[in-house]
Amino acid sequence: MRFPIILAAAWLAALIPASAQEVSDPELIGELMAFHGSEAIVSAMSTHCYETTGLDGAYKTASDNWYLRNIGFLELADRVIARLGGTSEAKQAAAETYGGAQIMSAYNQAADKNTFCRAFVEQVESGVLDIDKQLPDALEKAQAIASQ
């Protein structure tokens, strides 16, 4: 009786995708969620500065270009998060909210809001806020997992 159970277990394991067999890594999942936090920072601040600086289109363009440079990293993070067991939509929303709240807090504390916005858009345009620059260790781990 034991042999058929082992055989059945082996057969079922072969049917389960490799992603579901992976051991969850909550620390790495949190690091990868920060990718979405970065997206929220760029999106929230770009929108806010666009609206408060007289609808300067440079903010929208910078945000769009950031997204184009980073979409592959965001998709990679989502694939690896799923492979590691996934996360809830609430946790992703919390990461995005946290990122947005952090940048808005910095903005609110800035003595000169216009200068803050100009410095922000320069950082977005220069790529300083890109995921591969801000979170290189987490990106490297995600790439290693994705290549397995």
Side-chain angles (χ1 to χ4, degrees), residues 66-115:
W66 182 94
Y67 184 78
L68 291 173
R69 291 191 308 268
N70 290 274
I71 183 63
F73 303 137
L74 294 166
E75 290 174 349
L76 172 66
D78 290 342
R79 287 192 313 272
V80 172
I81 288 168
R83 187 171 184 174
L84 293 174
T87 190
S88 68
E89 288 182 28
K91 287 183 180 177
Q92 182 167 336
E96 293 168 356
T97 299
Y98 179 78
Q102 292 301 306
I103 194 65
M104 287 308 297
S105 177
Y107 173 82
N108 289 332
Q109 293 175 14
D112 184 343
K113 310 293 192 237
N114 194 42
T115 299

Side-chain angles (χ1 to χ4, degrees), residues 12-29:
L12 284 172
L15 292 177
I16 298 171
S19 62
Q21 296 178 30
E22 294 292 326
V23 175
S24 181
D25 184 342
E27 183 178 336
L28 180 56
I29 288 174

